[in-house]
Amino acid sequence: WFATDKGASRFDGKNFKNYTLLDGITDNNILNFFEDKRKRLWLLTFNGSSCYIKNDSVFNATNDPLLKKIPGKSFTRVMCDGPDSSVYISYNQGSIVHVGRDTANVLPMPPYWVSALIYTSPYLITLGEQGTIRYRNDTLVSKQLAPGQNTSFIYGDRILTTDKKGIEFRRNNNILYRCNNDTLSFFNVIRLYADKEDNIFCCTHTGLYFIDNKTKEKTCILPDIPTTGVYQDIYDNYWVSTLNDGVFYFNKEFNNI
C-alpha cells in the first residue's frame, strides 16, 4: 500500500489499484495506514475524516454509521489497537478518540500532539511532544513530562525516538542503542523504522541512513534524497518512499535497487 496526496494505491506484485474520492475514500491526501485486528485498513487522512478499506470495499460515514460518531480533526496522526477489537485514533492537535464496536469516546488530553500510541492491558500509553501519558479505562492516570521536541515510532515492543540530539532505540524500556548526531536529530528526521533484524532506517530530509544492528555502523543509502518511509515486505525486501523521487525497491542484500 502507498499513501499519496492523490489517494491510496495498492500494488499486488503486478498491478496497481488506486482509491480516490471517486471510490469513496474521504480525502485524497493520505498520510499513512493502519490495519486493525478486524482486518480493516484505516486511511490516516489529512482532513481527519475517517474511512477504511476491507475486502476491497471502502467504508465511510455513508455506509458505516459508526464513522459518523468519530469527531475527526485535521489531521489523523497515529492509531493503535485497543481492548476487544477497538481502536484508538490520535489527531494532530492532541485529541484521542477510542472507537469501539458502536461507540466513539473522546479522551481527556493535554493540547499537544501525540506521535505514538500503544495499548498494553490495562493501559493506553501515549508518547508525544511533552512526554508520556497513561490512561486506564479511558481515564488519565499519570503524566511523565519530557521537555524538548521529540517524535517516537512504535513497532511491536520496540520504540524508536528522535530528539534534539539524535535517536534512541528501546525495547521494554531498555535502551538498546543511542546515537547523538545532528543528521539524525528531530529537525532532520522524517520517520524511523526498525526491520525484522532490528536494523534501523532513518528517513531524513538529507537522505536515507541505515544503522546495522550488529556493527552499529551508519551508512547513507540514498544521499541527498528526502525519504519519507521504509517498509520490509514478506520476502524481506525493502520499499522506500521519497518526497519527490518516487519509490525505491531494494533487495534484502542491498546490492540491487
Side-chain angles (χ1 to χ4, degrees), residues 6-9 18-28 43 58:
K6 294 181 174 59
S9 185
N18 300 318
Y19 295 83
T20 68
L21 290 170
L22 297 177
D23 301 290
I25 67 173
T26 54
D27 189 5
N28 276 340
L43 279 60
V58 176

Side-chain angles (χ1 to χ4, degrees), residues 152-221:
S152 295
F153 304 89
I154 294 178
Y155 303 98
D157 61 352
R158 302 170 299 172
I159 300 176
L160 289 163
T161 301
T162 176
D163 54 30
K164 291 183 178 180
K165 295 182 179 180
I167 65 169
E168 186 174 277
F169 183 18
R170 287 177 287 158
R171 174 182 277 119
N172 299 324
N173 290 325
N174 296 315
I175 299 176
L176 304 181
Y177 177 76
R178 173 80 204 186
C179 177
N180 291 332
N181 188 301
D182 289 342
T183 303
L184 305 181
S185 73
F186 171 88
F187 304 101
N188 193 41
V189 168
I190 298 174
R191 181 170 292 275
L192 299 173
Y193 178 77
D195 70 8
K196 299 172 186 177
E197 303 298 326
D198 287 346
N199 299 306
I200 302 172
F201 292 82
C202 306
C203 302
T204 78
H205 292 282
T206 54
L208 176 64
Y209 294 86
F210 171 79
I211 300 174
D212 188 283
N213 177 45
K214 295 180 180 178
T215 66
K216 309 304 181 187
E217 292 183 358
K218 177 169 67 73
T219 305
C220 187
I221 301 176

